[in-house]
Amino acid sequence: MEKVSSLGRHLLVEYYDCDVDVLDSVETIREAMLNAAEMSGATIISDTFHHFSPQGVSGVVVIAESHLAIHTWPEHKFAAVDLFTCGDEVDPWIGFYYLKEVLKSKYFTVMEMRRGLLSAKDGKLLFKPVSSENSEEKKEIYAKDI
Amino acid sequence: MEKVSSLGRHLLVEYYDCDVDVLDSVETIREAMLNAAEMSGATIISDTFHHFSPQGVSGVVVIAESHLAIHTWPEHKFAAVDLFTCGDEVDPWIGFYYLKEVLKSKYFTVMEMRRGLLSAKDGKLLFKPVSSENSEEKKEIYAKDI
């Protein structure tokens, strides 16, 4: 039977009332995002982080299973975070809770969206290759149906 | 009067039934995403793109006004795209229409979300610095209220 399944899930997070010093430290934010990726079970491919003048940080971690992104506004004690992961080997919620602690966010909103909704035989999306040509080991991981 | 305003808007796009060759070309996808950023009026800070084995491309363009991201699944003729921009000088919809053409997507879904909803005096979020310390010119741009 033809069913609709999804390739991944995407947490859209708004962290409010965060620690201003953390929000403005590109080193702390980068380390936190890389940790969040690793703790969630993701395979890190690359990352890029920048500090803005006079304040604020933007950065992205590309993972084999999609990406994590952050934008901070210390002047508003606010950070917008995206945790987009594919497959059921990765749990973006682990990253969500961890980042909440690091940013010392006092309240937040979070929305989970399904991305890549497709018709699939028996509700199974047959595979998703996640190995990188840039990685030393060219392994292929086959995602289970979500 | 205290009103709620937002720092940015985020288009979550699902492009279906795309051109397989385009979806699998990291050069074409990178060029298209950089063009989309530029055409939308964004200031490009950095980018990172990767081709996966056996197929598929992931990449992100960090812009001064947030980020654009893409993940492609040639095997499903599908691409998931995020166009997250701040301020009213940048129009992510220009990028959306352009990418639809490049990917030759026959149908799509798109959702526009407000990110960074904050209380602001008179509904105005006073400023958002968008200049990068890495840019040659350390200009500060003050975003107008959205």
Side-chain angles (χ1 to χ4, degrees):
Chain A
M1 188 188 148
E2 201 85 353
K3 286 184 182 174
V4 172
S5 190
S6 69
L7 291 168
R9 49 187 167 164
H10 186 161
L11 304 190
L12 292 114
V13 192
E14 318 285 86
Y15 290 114
Y16 294 98
D17 212 351
C18 302
D19 184 287
V20 171
D21 292 333
V22 171
L23 290 182
D24 204 32
S25 166
V26 66
E27 294 82 10
T28 306
I29 293 292
R30 178 173 181 266
E31 189 187 350
M33 292 295 283
L34 291 172
N35 285 345
E38 203 160 349
M39 290 163 69
S40 300
T43 302
I44 295 166
I45 301 285
S46 66
D47 72 275
T48 174
F49 283 81
H50 297 271
H51 184 260
F52 290 92
S53 176
Q55 57 195 345
V57 172
S58 276
V60 178
V61 183
V62 176
I63 55 177
E65 303 84 0
S66 292
H67 73 268
L68 313 184
I70 189 167
H71 305 286
T72 79
W73 283 265
E75 67 272 36
H76 297 303
K77 299 185 177 181
F78 171 77
V81 171
D82 291 88
L83 307 171
F84 181 178
T85 66
C86 289
D88 55 5
E89 306 276 317
V90 183
D91 183 357
W93 285 98
I94 295 172
F96 162 76
Y97 289 113
Y98 169 74
L99 290 171
K100 182 181 175 305
E101 291 303 307
V102 173
L103 300 174
K104 298 175 187 165
S105 170
K106 295 207 183 96
Y107 63 106
F108 60 86
T109 66
V110 58
M111 185 183 292
E112 179 174 330
M113 294 188 64
R114 292 280 170 179
R115 299 296 299 266
L117 286 164
L118 296 155
S119 277
K121 201 175 175 184
D122 297 322
K124 292 181 185 178
L125 291 171
L126 294 180
F127 78 99
K128 160 153 171 40
V130 297
S131 67
S132 168
E133 285 189 346
N134 298 323
S135 67
E136 287 177 24
E137 194 183 341
K138 288 198 178 187
K139 60 181 175 179
E140 285 176 28
I141 300 168
Y142 291 80
K144 296 168 191 166
D145 52 317
I146 301 161
Chain B
M1 189 188 147
E2 201 84 353
K3 285 184 182 174
V4 172
S5 190
S6 68
L7 291 167
R9 48 188 168 164
H10 186 161
L11 304 189
L12 292 115
V13 193
E14 317 285 87
Y15 290 114
Y16 293 98
D17 212 352
C18 301
D19 184 287
V20 170
D21 293 333
V22 172
L23 291 183
D24 204 32
S25 166
V26 67
E27 295 81 10
T28 306
I29 293 293
R30 178 173 180 268
E31 190 187 349
M33 292 294 284
L34 291 171
N35 285 345
E38 203 160 350
M39 290 164 70
S40 299
T43 302
I44 296 167
I45 301 284
S46 66
D47 72 275
T48 175
F49 282 82
H50 296 272
H51 184 260
F52 291 92
S53 175
Q55 56 195 344
V57 172
S58 277
V60 177
V61 183
V62 175
I63 55 177
E65 303 84 2
S66 293
H67 73 268
L68 312 184
I70 188 167
H71 304 286
T72 78
W73 284 264
E75 66 272 35
H76 297 302
K77 298 186 176 181
F78 172 76
V81 171
D82 290 88
L83 307 170
F84 181 0
T85 66
C86 290
D88 55 5
E89 305 276 317
V90 183
D91 183 358
W93 285 98
I94 295 172
F96 162 77
Y97 288 114
Y98 169 74
L99 290 171
K100 182 181 174 305
E101 290 305 308
V102 172
L103 300 175
K104 299 175 186 165
S105 170
K106 296 207 181 94
Y107 63 107
F108 59 86
T109 66
V110 58
M111 185 184 292
E112 179 174 329
M113 294 187 64
R114 293 279 170 179
R115 300 297 300 267
L117 286 164
L118 296 155
S119 276
K121 200 175 176 182
D122 298 321
K124 291 180 185 179
L125 290 172
L126 293 179
F127 78 101
K128 156 148 174 47
V130 298
S131 67
S132 168
E133 284 188 347
N134 298 324
S135 67
E136 287 177 25
E137 195 183 341
K138 290 200 179 187
K139 62 182 176 179
E140 285 177 27
I141 300 168
Y142 291 80
K144 295 166 192 167
D145 52 317
I146 300 160

